[in-house]
Every structure is written in structure tokens, then in C-alpha cells.
Amino acid sequence: MIMATPKKTNRPVRRPATKTGKARAAAAPKKTANPASTPSRERLTAVKPSGGKDDSFFDLVHEVARQIPRGRVTSYGAIAACLGTRLSARMVGWAMMAVPYAKKPVPAHRVVNRNGLLTGKHHYSPPERMQQLLEKDGVAVKDDKVVDFKKLFWDPATEL
DNA sequence: ACGCTGACTATTA
DNA sequence: CTAATAGCCAGCG
């Protein structure tokens, strides 16, 4: 028929190329050279008093999240894209799990999913805490989702 | 070292 | 709208 779906019709979501292991870089405004370094659980299971700096993937996420202006929100995917790992927003959310253990405060409540839904609310002391924090920032939340999410959306890749 | 899991996202049915 | 499927990457057992 005429309409013929001008869209993409058949497209098995293939994504062969791009893979590339290195192209993904691009962003990393700060740096990323140091991969190793015990990333994680150390902070999750037991906070390490000493220190040693952490230049792990987690810290990068924390820093970006910390740049989110008050009254604005962003998504995991946006942060992931900023870091160069657009397709791995999961890691971003995972990093958020370490937020409470981060040395500096991170407004994780300003990070929601692509739908503007407060998916991470369940990780707060009372889940309502996340919404309260957002409202305190001046962000209206209704039914567990950010009102005018698109308008309040803050893209680190663009704004930063 | 392999397999599972996960605060995600996108596309298809 | 929901459900299912696939791809992603890092950490842990």
C-alpha cells in the first residue's frame, strides 16, 4: 500500500559494527586511564577508610551526577552516553548503588530512567525519600514520574 | 575462567 | 499501554 510505512519497517536491530572496542571512548571528560583499581564492592560491603583514590567507573558516574544542576534531572542513558557507554546504562545505575558509599554526596535522586520514572526509589531508605528530594529541588513528581521530564532533562553530553 | 545478575534502553509483537 | 527479546558492561561466586 501507499502508506508503506515510511519508517524502518524491517530492522532486526542489528548492530554489528560499532562494536569496536575503542570507539566508544569519546567522552570521558576527565580521564579514564586507570582501570583497575578495585572498583566496587569494597565500598559497597565495607567502606575503606583509607584511601586511596578511586578512579573507577563508579566515580566517573558520581562526578557527572554531581554536576546535575538543582531542579534538573537526567537519565542513566544520558550519563552513560556522556561516558561513552550509551548502551550500557546498566552500569550507570549500578554505580548509583555505590553512591551512598561515595566520599562526596551525589544527588542520585536527580537520575531517573528514560521515562522519567523514579526507578531507583526502591533503593532509598523510604522509597518516598527520592521524590521528596526531587520536590525539594523544585522538581514536580507525580505518580512516581517526573513532570515535564523532557523540559527538566539535563544532558551532560550537551550541557556539560 | 565461565555464568549470573543488574537503579537501563530500544525495538518488536 | 504491556510483554517479550536482545544488547551492553562490570563485578562476584
Side-chain angles (χ1 to χ4, degrees):
Chain A
M1 311 61 177
I2 298 304
M3 60 163 12
T5 104
K7 295 131 187 257
K8 25 198 99 195
T9 46
N10 277 332
R11 199 84 73 46
V13 178
R14 237 109 215 236
R15 200 149 232 285
T18 327
K19 171 132 259 40
T20 114
K22 356 204 116 215
R24 59 177 54 209
K30 273 110 210 256
K31 105 164 210 184
T32 329
N34 174 13
S37 353
T38 114
S40 47
R41 254 353 188 188
E42 241 159 296
R43 281 136 214 120
L44 294 173
T45 60
V47 181
K48 209 177 288 133
S50 88
K53 30 183 317 33
D54 337 348
D55 289 22
S56 54
F57 181 87
F58 293 56
D59 284 318
L60 291 177
V61 176
H62 295 167
E63 281 195 53
V64 175
R66 220 177 285 132
Q67 311 309 307
I68 303 173
R70 185 166 169 278
R72 291 295 209 89
V73 294
T74 192
S75 64
Y76 303 95
I79 296 174
C82 182
L83 296 176
T85 49
R86 174 181 78 90
L87 302 175
S88 7
R90 285 183 177 168
M91 272 68 258
V92 176
W94 204 357
M96 283 306 174
M97 185 180 167
V99 159
Y101 295 93
K103 283 21 184 308
K104 297 189 174 190
V106 178
H109 60 275
R110 291 174 188 158
V111 183
V112 298
N113 78 344
R114 220 203 168 302
N115 296 312
L117 201 68
L118 282 58
T119 51
K121 62 178 288 182
H122 292 287
H123 289 258
Y124 279 75
S125 321
E128 293 71 39
R129 172 90 172 154
M130 188 174 185
Q131 182 173 326
Q132 295 298 316
L133 289 170
L134 282 170
E135 291 181 326
K136 199 167 62 151
D137 281 353
V139 178
V141 178
K142 177 162 280 217
D143 198 30
D144 291 347
K145 65 182 182 293
V146 177
V147 178
D148 290 328
F149 171 65
K150 293 179 67 173
K151 188 151 54 180
L152 297 173
F153 183 75
W154 180 81
D155 187 346
T158 303
E159 308 291 332
L160 197 61

